[in-house]
Amino acid sequence: MKEKRTLMLPGPTPIPERARLAGVTEMIGHREVECEELLKEVVDGLKYVFQTENDVLVLTCSGTGGLEGSIANTLSKGDKVLSLCTGAFGERYASIAENYGLEVERLNVPWGECIDPKKVEEKLESYKDGEVKAILMTHNETSTGVINHPEPIGKLARKYNCLLLIDAVSSLAGIELKTDEWGADVVVTSSQKALMSPPGLCLVSVSSRAFKAYETSDLPKFYLDFKRAKDRYDAKNQTPATPAISVLYVLREVLRDIKEEGLENVFKRHEIVTKAIRLSMKAIGLELLVDDKVASKTVTAVKLPEGISYSVLRNKLKDEYNVYVTGSKGQLQGKVFRIGHLGNVSRMDILSTISALEFVLLELGFELELGAGLSAAQKVFYEEERSK
């Protein structure tokens, strides 16, 4: 009999059973009152998760669509933007801006390290006041497993009179992000990550400053037009085009669960799971890519031991134990494997993954004490239970 699937990816992530079943609710018309009520409850729930009073837009696309929209709706051709690149997804954000004809200044940070606000300020000081129109940053750099903290960057955006646009695709609802308090103008996430829903929806928080910039933006936009989405929602609690209704049903249930659990408890749960994963990897004898103080709470990158191929490791985990992990991109391709631990990932999922990994590594000739990683994770969970 095949093992139960254990999906340990940075996305898509496992869907809670009640929410998953909600996805087969009978279809409704997207211009009917039932859909308007559905969308309103989802938007209200999202404002709680985004920690914002700003407009939250629901777009039917992936997170990349929202990132593209964040640029198309706030900037104009030839504008200068500062893109903070700490990995593959930070570099992709910069590439989107370049494809729209913007003048992109990349502040490249070594992969595995986080953004240094002092270096950001040094870069901003080298330009005239207001010359840089926006800062692009990735809150959680999924390719390396590094958190970049938005709060000091938000302060710099205000000081130097520019917008702050944030890729929070793999962080929102898993890692603290105070949208309003930290001065974020556009925050983009998607449904299939810590929001524990199927792929198909992009959720975007947009500030009044960003909508002010929209008024002079000359970049092309139609399907991803934020003002059209805002106006339609303000007028009728609708979207301009047909939304992914089945995903909305799932997301509504997830947002209810998050509200019931409480954001602080959600963040704490992710922190505990992260601690268990990181300590278990060290106990096995594996090397982590990034330092604990900058480590993501939703994905962990682990260096591959010498002589062990990523594809072999991944395929054995999948084929023999039905455990899914992934690799990385760019300069880290083939050098690390990544474990996603966001959203609906349980302690049992973590323990199953560690156990399977120990078996596979042992089979591949890596010397380890069987159960060492498992024991380290169990101690984290046991101590957490005792502290309650």
Side-chain angles (χ1 to χ4, degrees), residues 60-283:
T60 300
C61 60
S62 69
T64 304
L67 297 176
E68 187 166 331
S70 72
I71 290 165
N73 284 275
T74 61
L75 299 162
S76 296
K77 192 170 184 178
D79 278 352
K80 186 187 295 294
V81 299
L82 178 61
S83 188
L84 312 180
C85 301
T86 55
F89 290 95
E91 291 182 359
R92 187 170 70 165
Y93 209 173
S95 295
I96 294 170
E98 287 167 344
N99 274 277
Y100 269 91
L102 303 184
E103 184 181 338
V104 179
E105 176 72 26
R106 296 187 185 218
L107 179 57
N108 293 311
V109 178
W111 286 34
E113 297 180 16
C114 69
I115 295 164
D116 181 350
K118 291 180 181 178
K119 292 184 179 179
V120 177
E121 182 156 25
E122 287 173 5
K123 185 66 70 172
L124 290 169
E125 281 181 340
S126 68
Y127 298 107
K128 297 176 183 177
D129 184 48
E131 184 179 356
V132 173
K133 301 300 181 184
I135 300 171
L136 316 181
M137 74 172 293
T138 306
H139 182 206
N140 186 70
E141 179 48 70
T142 326
S143 65
T144 62
V146 165
I147 295 177
N148 294 301
H149 295 288
E151 185 175 14
I153 309 303
K155 290 177 180 177
L156 291 175
R158 294 296 181 268
K159 181 177 179 180
Y160 291 92
N161 192 30
C162 59
L163 298 173
L164 174 58
L165 314 183
I166 299 179
D167 171 355
V169 170
S170 65
S171 63
L172 196 86
I175 303 170
E176 181 86 86
L177 204 174
K178 298 181 179 180
T179 297
D180 293 358
E181 186 178 326
W182 293 350
D185 292 296
V186 179
V187 178
V188 178
T189 195
S190 57
S191 54
Q192 79 277 13
K193 303 283 186 173
L195 286 173
M196 302 176 276
S197 302
L201 290 178
C202 176
L203 307 316
V204 187
S205 170
V206 187
S207 73
S208 58
R209 276 167 43 95
F211 274 118
K212 182 70 176 176
Y214 172 95
E215 295 174 6
T216 56
S217 170
D218 65 6
L219 296 177
K221 45 194 164 282
F222 183 78
Y223 184 73
L224 298 175
D225 190 314
F226 286 0
K227 187 65 163 51
R228 286 182 72 233
K230 171 180 165 54
D231 289 349
R232 189 73 186 214
Y233 183 78
D234 287 348
K236 295 187 175 182
N237 292 345
Q238 294 180 358
T239 54
T242 309
I245 295 171
S246 295
V247 184
L248 285 172
Y249 279 133
V250 177
L251 182 55
R252 177 172 63 178
E253 293 300 320
V254 167
L255 291 168
R256 287 172 177 173
D257 287 347
I258 289 174
K259 188 68 180 290
E260 183 179 341
E261 184 177 358
L263 271 181
E264 288 304 315
N265 292 325
V266 170
F267 299 144
K268 179 66 174 176
R269 173 164 52 81
H270 281 80
E271 289 172 5
I272 293 165
V273 165
T274 301
K275 183 179 179 181
I277 283 284
R278 293 182 67 81
L279 287 177
S280 71
M281 294 301 105
K282 293 176 183 178

Side-chain angles (χ1 to χ4, degrees), residues 360-374:
V360 169
L361 286 171
L362 205 56
E363 283 184 58
L364 294 176
F366 183 77
E367 292 187 10
L368 62 92
E369 181 184 345
L370 199 61
L374 202 55

